[in-house]
Amino acid sequence: GQNIDQPTEMTATEGAIVQINCTYQTSGFNGLFWYQQHAGEAPTFLSYNVLDGLEEKGRFSSFLSRSKGYSYLLLKELQMKDSASYLCAVILRRSQGNLIFGKGTKLSVKP
Amino acid sequence: EADIYQTPRYLVIGTGKKITLECSQTMGHDKMYWYQQDPGMELHLIHYSYGVNSTEKGDLSSESTVSRIRTEHFPLTLESARPSHTSQYLCASRPGPEGSYEQYFGPGTRLTVT
């Protein structure tokens, strides 16, 4: 079976930095996505990693280690609007492009 | 900006009714997907399509059916709704065959079956 693990909940303070981890054990791997999902809304794309290393995009960065089956999403200068669920998702096969999602990490940002 | 639409956004319906959830995208994407998401749980793929007249079942067994007669339209139908079908249904699309793997999501339909 496919297994993608993320912490269920995290809390952080406005202005701080938070790291959300994701570990995966899947039958294939052709890339890892991070999506943001506010309550009751659609997921929105944050990042895509297919090679090892760090991808930086503004306040958000994402890291991938394929040998360790590990990724993290780093959020800097937290804002109240960053309170949301963060979903880790893996593409198993390029030909299909279907995503397998983790359960998501609910981040609460407090003043 | 992705343009993918779902209607209705919210639906409360009685047991045994037939319902169709609509999903349309104006981006000309070949690949479309339906996911089911319960509160606090992961998205589960229930149906996908790689193009017109192509439909496949996803990882999560579902009593729903789908059709893809036009590129832009991917409706999901439940012939006889049951309380166990209460969930959020999300539609997504992406370009194919070798375009970006990013999936663009619609706003979702929150279905409640009483």
Side-chain angles (χ1 to χ4, degrees):
Chain A
Q2 320 298 345
N3 199 39
I4 299 177
D5 284 322
Q6 308 177 232
T8 304
E9 293 185 44
M10 297 182 72
T11 302
T13 304
E14 194 176 14
I17 299 173
V18 70
Q19 178 174 311
I20 302 174
N21 295 326
C22 171
T23 58
Y24 61 89
Q25 292 173 305
T26 54
S27 57
F29 181 85
N30 276 280
L32 186 144
F33 282 93
W34 284 96
Y35 278 85
Q36 181 190 59
Q37 186 179 26
H38 285 98
E41 297 183 11
T44 55
F45 169 79
L46 290 177
S47 68
Y48 172 57
N49 294 70
V50 63
L51 300 175
D52 290 352
L54 187 69
E55 297 272 348
E56 296 187 79
K57 191 185 294 185
R59 292 190 300 116
F60 292 9
S61 303
S62 56
F63 172 84
L64 175 67
S65 169
R66 290 172 295 172
S67 62
K68 295 182 180 177
Y70 168 69
S71 173
Y72 67 73
L73 180 69
L74 193 71
L75 292 77
K76 304 176 186 174
E77 301 169 14
L78 280 173
Q79 302 175 8
M80 298 299 290
K81 67 178 182 179
D82 297 330
S83 292
S85 287
Y86 292 86
L87 314 179
C88 175
V90 168
I91 298 176
L92 299 185
R93 288 175 288 278
R94 280 173 61 111
S95 57
Q96 275 194 340
N98 295 351
L99 294 176
I100 305 294
F101 281 87
K103 292 185 179 180
T105 298
K106 184 177 180 180
L107 174 67
S108 298
V109 180
K110 300 194 181 304
Chain B
E1 187 74 21
D3 293 319
I4 180 163
Y5 309 98
Q6 290 185 245
T7 56
R9 292 292 311 278
Y10 303 92
L11 179 62
V12 180
I13 201 161
T15 298
K17 300 290 186 183
K18 177 180 178 179
I19 57 172
T20 295
L21 309 184
E22 301 288 349
C23 175
S24 295
Q25 48 94 6
T26 58
M27 299 168 284
H29 287 172
D30 287 333
K31 301 193 177 184
M32 297 189 73
Y33 306 83
W34 275 104
Y35 293 89
Q36 185 175 340
Q37 184 181 32
D38 293 326
M41 300 298 289
E42 64 265 55
L43 279 75
H44 286 288
L45 182 67
I46 51 175
H47 297 283
Y48 60 98
S49 166
Y50 289 161
V52 171
N53 294 326
S54 149
T55 62
E56 300 286 345
K57 289 189 179 294
D59 306 317
L60 182 68
S61 176
S62 173
E63 293 165 346
S64 58
T65 58
V66 291
S67 62
R68 189 89 182 277
I69 299 172
R70 302 197 316 266
T71 297
E72 62 271 22
H73 195 213
F74 191 40
L76 180 146
T77 299
L78 278 165
E79 290 292 333
S80 179
R82 294 208 300 268
S84 60
H85 297 139
T86 294
S87 189
Q88 166 134 308
Y89 293 84
L90 288 160
C91 179
S93 72
R94 73 171 182 89
E98 291 296 331
S100 164
Y101 290 107
E102 176 189 346
Q103 291 186 16
Y104 298 87
F105 285 83
T109 295
R110 187 167 296 279
L111 173 66
T112 303
V113 183
T114 60

